[in-house]
Amino acid sequence: MRIIAGDYKGRRLQSPPDYSIRPTTDKVKEALFSILTEKIWGSRVLDLFSGTGNLGIEALSRGAELCVFADSSRESLRLIRENIAHCKAEKGARVEAGDFRKVLGNQTEQFDIILLDPPYNKDLLGDCFRLIAENDLLSEDGVIVAEHRREEKLEDEICGFQKEKERRYGIVMLSIYVKG
């Protein structure tokens, strides 16, 4: 797992020793950031279910102003902090520990990009969208990117957010939502 482009290009990130954390593959990450290219510079990013911090660090590397990394796993939080330090990305990074419901409820600012990559087959995306809407966390021109298994079909409209595009990469789907 490596940073693909930007200030930290080529830096290798620490990975989990087992399969308890499922990092986004380089292929999917490259496709995702190709979709988000015009939105990254100067953006405020929320990387929920951060895992290793892979996506959020890539966003910072490409010019995001801020990334809030959030996860409930101690192992994930350790890896996120190590990877941020390894890339010297502390300036734009904020790490928050806790369940996604608590993290979403505690945010006091809006985000331009919200990355959702929850554990597969846990049916957590609906709650995420609901809490993002209830707490008004997405900026007016912002996007929500949900990574999920291709078997998990997401509705065209969820909690007032409209699906703008959907892309398949093997067993992984990226669904992009905007305010409706």
Side-chain angles (χ1 to χ4, degrees), residues 16-76:
D18 56 21
Y19 294 101
S20 61
I21 301 168
R22 176 193 41 78
T24 300
T25 65
D26 282 353
K27 175 184 173 183
V28 174
K29 182 169 66 168
E30 195 160 353
L32 167 63
F33 281 93
S34 178
I35 293 168
L36 296 177
T37 296
E38 295 180 18
K39 294 193 174 287
I40 294 290
W41 187 259
S43 64
R44 301 175 67 74
V45 179
L46 173 60
D47 185 2
L48 205 57
F49 309 100
S50 294
T52 61
N54 181 19
L55 297 178
I57 294 170
E58 186 75 39
L60 289 171
S61 180
R62 292 173 184 240
E65 175 186 309
L66 167 77
C67 183
V68 175
F69 298 84
D71 209 294
S72 61
S73 158
R74 280 189 177 162
E75 175 66 7
S76 289

Side-chain angles (χ1 to χ4, degrees), residues 11-166:
R11 301 231 176 121
R12 294 218 167 267
L13 300 179
Q14 292 293 314
S15 299
D18 56 21
Y19 294 101
S20 61
I21 301 168
R22 176 193 41 78
T24 300
T25 65
D26 282 353
K27 175 184 173 183
V28 174
K29 182 169 66 168
E30 195 160 353
L32 167 63
F33 281 93
S34 178
I35 293 168
L36 296 177
T37 296
E38 295 180 18
K39 294 193 174 287
I40 294 290
W41 187 259
S43 64
R44 301 175 67 74
V45 179
L46 173 60
D47 185 2
L48 205 57
F49 309 100
S50 294
T52 61
N54 181 19
L55 297 178
I57 294 170
E58 186 75 39
L60 289 171
S61 180
R62 292 173 184 240
E65 175 186 309
L66 167 77
C67 183
V68 175
F69 298 84
D71 209 294
S72 61
S73 158
R74 280 189 177 162
E75 175 66 7
S76 289
L77 294 166
R78 182 188 66 74
L79 284 169
I80 293 163
R81 288 184 177 106
E82 279 183 19
N83 286 329
I84 290 170
H86 174 67
C87 292
K88 296 180 176 43
E90 294 91 347
K91 182 179 177 217
R94 189 169 80 218
V95 180
E96 295 191 13
D99 178 79
F100 74 94
R101 295 167 194 90
K102 175 186 158 204
V103 170
L104 289 172
N106 287 340
Q107 299 309 307
T108 58
E109 59 205 329
Q110 290 189 321
F111 296 92
D112 304 304
I113 301 168
I114 299 177
L115 304 170
L116 303 175
D117 186 12
Y120 290 164
N121 304 320
K122 299 279 186 185
D123 200 26
L124 301 177
L125 287 171
D127 284 343
C128 291
F129 278 95
R130 181 180 54 77
L131 290 166
I132 291 166
E134 284 176 6
N135 293 293
D136 193 25
L137 297 179
L138 189 65
S139 67
E140 201 54 44
D141 296 323
V143 296
I144 299 171
V145 180
E147 183 178 329
H148 55 97
R149 293 184 72 84
R150 76 169 179 235
E151 297 85 14
E152 184 181 3
K153 302 294 181 203
L154 298 185
E155 300 295 324
D156 288 340
E157 187 273 329
I158 304 174
C159 300
F161 301 107
Q162 295 294 318
K163 189 186 298 179
E164 187 176 69
K165 47 181 97 164
E166 186 173 71

